């Protein structure tokens, strides 16, 4: 199991820095050359999103759609072992360092190594990289890409809780300053506004990109599964799609040790939980009236030329 390999003691909260115009932390840039040289296979499926937009949910849906509810791995492997995060570099235990010596590893395990160990076909690969950082091999191989976007208000609230628990990100200060950081785009993986817009614009020139909204997934998961099956040319029966819809419900995933990340060692679980709420509109419990006005005004300015439309309540 991949998680047992991570050396939690070696994970220290990083600083953010400007990386080619995007705020990043070293855990996602340390292996940059190899990330850029990554070799995709034509049937790889890339699951891209800004952090906290439903990437895990989408990964699980695609895992079930591609490999089936009753595949052996559903009972033996956590989702994050099956779906590598392309850009990550994390410290690993001594025994793993030794074992990985054969593939040239030092003190870390990288998402690229992990992806190269995945033997399934297709491979599902996760990323939070902005579109301009995606290794060119994915475009050259014409890989299918699913992008998940979430309304910014809930995305911000979810990130605020997540950054408190994930040891790979800087500790957020108070809610007020975090709110402004989001507006200024000073977040790990950069500005939400740039991320969702640049991926959206990519659809114009790259047809193998399926853009999905978190809110649509909450509203009608079954319909989004239908659309995914069409996009991926997967001929599932209606009954199978119903079964998968039930299996990926928030309450099911929260209880499922293979999807709830309850054993992932990179979290401080005293701060939050990975499967937190899974709702549309939770932002209302955090935004003051003044913050909501400030947010909306700023949003209008930033997104005035975009055709993207988000729903922040259902
Ligand atoms: P909340 O923090 O608002 O609960 P990511 O996987 O990209 O990190 O996104 C995490 C967010 O997706 C969390 O949001 C998490 O609860 C939510 N999520 C995960 N699985 C879900 C599901 N089956 N249904 C609804 N939301 C889900």
């Amino acid at each position: 199991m991949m998680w047992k390999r991570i050396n939690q003691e070696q994970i220290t909260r990083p600083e953010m820095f400007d990386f080619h115009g995007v705020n990043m932390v070293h855990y996602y840039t340390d292996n940059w050359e190899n990330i850029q040289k990554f070799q995709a296979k034509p049937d790889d499926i890339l699951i891209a999103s800004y952090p906290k937009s439903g990437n895990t949910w989408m990964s699980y849906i695609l895992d079930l759609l591609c490999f089936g509810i009753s595949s052996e791995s559903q009972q033996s492997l956590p989702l994050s072992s099956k779906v590598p995060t392309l850009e990550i570099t994390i410290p690993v235990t001594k025994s793993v360092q030794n074992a990985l010596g054969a593939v040239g590893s030092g003190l870390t395990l990288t998402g690229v190594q992990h992806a190269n160990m995945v033997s399934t076909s297709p491979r599902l690969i996760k990323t939070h990289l902005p579109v301009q950082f995606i290794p060119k091999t994915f475009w050259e191989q014409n890989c299918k890409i699913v992008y998940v976007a979430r309304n910014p208000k809930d995305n911000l609230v979810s990130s605020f809780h997540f950054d408190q628990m994930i040891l790979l990100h800087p500790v957020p200060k108070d809610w007020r300053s975090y709110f402004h950081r989001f507006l200024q785009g000073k977040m790990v993986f950069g500005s939400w506004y740039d991320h969702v817009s640049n991926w959206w614009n990519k659809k114009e020139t790259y047809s193998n990109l399926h853009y999905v909204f978190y809110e649509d997934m909450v509203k009608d998961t079954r319909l989004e599964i239908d659309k995914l099956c069409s996009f991926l040319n997967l001929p599932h029966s209606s009954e199978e799609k119903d079964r998968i819809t039930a299996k990926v419900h928030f309450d099911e995933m929260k209880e499922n040790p293979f999807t709830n990340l309850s054993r992932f060692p990179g979290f401080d679980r005293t701060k939050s939980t990975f499967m937190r709420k899974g709702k549309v509109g939770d932002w209302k419990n955090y935004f003051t009236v003044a913050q909501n006005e400030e947010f909306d005004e700023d949003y209008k300015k930033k997104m005035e030329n975009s055709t993207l439309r988000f729903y922040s309540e259902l």
Side-chain angles (χ1 to χ4, degrees):
M1 182 188 296
M2 212 53 74
W3 298 343
K4 283 198 185 140
R5 301 169 169 185
I6 298 172
N7 186 351
Q8 189 178 23
E9 283 156 28
Q10 293 290 313
I11 301 177
T12 47
R13 292 274 191 171
E15 297 283 325
M16 264 192 321
F17 56 90
D18 180 88
F19 186 73
H20 304 291
V22 176
N23 280 292
M24 292 290 272
V25 291
H26 75 88
Y27 292 114
Y28 306 124
T29 60
D30 280 348
N31 194 35
W32 201 248
E33 231 175 272
N34 292 324
I35 294 167
Q36 292 305 312
K37 284 194 307 208
F38 180 71
Q39 283 305 306
K41 299 177 185 175
D43 66 345
D44 284 346
I45 301 172
L46 189 65
I47 308 159
S49 68
Y50 194 71
K52 310 318 291 170
S53 305
N55 197 305
T56 312
W57 190 10
M58 179 56 76
S59 298
Y60 190 42
I61 293 172
L62 294 183
D63 180 50
L64 294 173
L65 286 176
C66 291
F67 305 115
I69 280 195
S70 44
S71 81
E72 202 186 297
S73 75
Q74 300 305 346
Q75 299 307 321
S76 57
L77 288 175
L79 187 63
S80 68
S81 280
K82 294 188 271 182
V83 185
T85 302
L86 184 66
E87 57 273 11
I88 206 166
T89 298
I90 29 176
V92 285
T93 57
K94 192 81 193 149
S95 60
V96 182
Q97 289 164 25
N98 294 338
L100 284 174
V103 289
S105 171
L107 305 169
T108 55
L109 176 68
T110 69
V112 170
Q113 288 168 330
H114 185 178
N116 287 332
M117 288 175 206
V118 172
S119 57
T120 56
S121 176
R123 294 186 297 187
L124 302 177
I125 300 173
K126 162 184 171 175
T127 187
H128 290 314
L129 291 175
V131 70
Q132 69 273 23
F133 287 171
I134 295 298
K136 65 178 188 319
T137 183
F138 286 99
W139 314 120
E140 288 167 354
Q141 299 290 341
N142 199 28
C143 295
K144 291 214 189 304
I145 302 180
V146 178
Y147 184 83
V148 192
R150 186 178 193 183
N151 83 78
K153 295 178 182 177
D154 283 325
N155 208 318
L156 163 50
V157 168
S158 182
S159 300
F160 179 61
H161 289 92
F162 185 68
D163 279 6
Q164 294 177 53
M165 74 185 278
I166 182 149
L167 304 173
L168 307 178
H169 290 192
V171 189
K173 293 189 191 121
D174 55 296
W175 161 249
R176 214 170 144 263
S177 62
Y178 195 83
F179 175 89
H180 285 113
R181 252 182 70 192
F182 187 92
L183 266 59
Q184 291 158 6
K186 292 187 181 154
M187 306 286 288
V188 181
F189 293 103
S191 149
W192 174 92
Y193 307 86
D194 292 345
H195 208 284
V196 297
S197 303
N198 292 337
W199 271 101
W200 178 250
N201 295 340
K202 187 73 185 176
K203 268 161 41 82
E204 283 170 24
T205 52
Y206 189 77
S207 59
N208 256 349
L209 173 55
H210 183 62
Y211 201 102
V212 182
F213 295 92
Y214 177 91
E215 293 69 32
D216 287 340
M217 291 168 71
V218 172
K219 196 168 150 204
D220 193 342
T221 312
R222 179 64 163 78
L223 179 62
E224 293 310 310
I225 287 180
D226 276 337
K227 291 187 200 162
L228 285 164
C229 286
S230 302
F231 175 64
L232 300 170
N233 300 319
L234 293 170
H236 283 296
S237 67
S238 188
E239 292 72 27
E240 181 71 354
K241 285 189 260 188
D242 287 345
R243 275 194 291 273
I244 292 176
T245 304
K247 191 93 182 147
V248 303
H249 189 275
F250 181 83
D251 298 338
E252 289 278 328
M253 282 184 66
K254 192 178 170 77
E255 293 308 313
N256 183 344
F258 295 119
T259 59
N260 66 13
L261 273 80
S262 56
R263 296 179 206 155
F264 181 69
F267 291 155
D268 175 354
R269 283 195 183 69
T270 61
K271 299 290 193 292
S272 188
T273 160
F274 182 78
M275 297 291 298
R276 197 182 59 90
K277 284 196 184 169
K279 294 258 184 289
V280 180
D282 186 39
W283 61 272
K284 291 180 187 168
N285 296 315
Y286 295 86
F287 281 47
T288 62
V289 172
Q291 280 173 337
N292 194 33
E293 282 168 8
E294 182 182 348
F295 193 97
D296 287 346
E297 205 172 304
D298 177 76
Y299 185 92
K300 253 188 241 153
K301 280 188 217 143
K302 289 201 172 93
M303 302 293 276
E304 67 181 349
N305 294 324
S306 177
T307 53
L308 257 175
R309 294 287 170 268
F310 283 93
Y311 295 94
S312 50
E313 51 195 306
L314 287 181

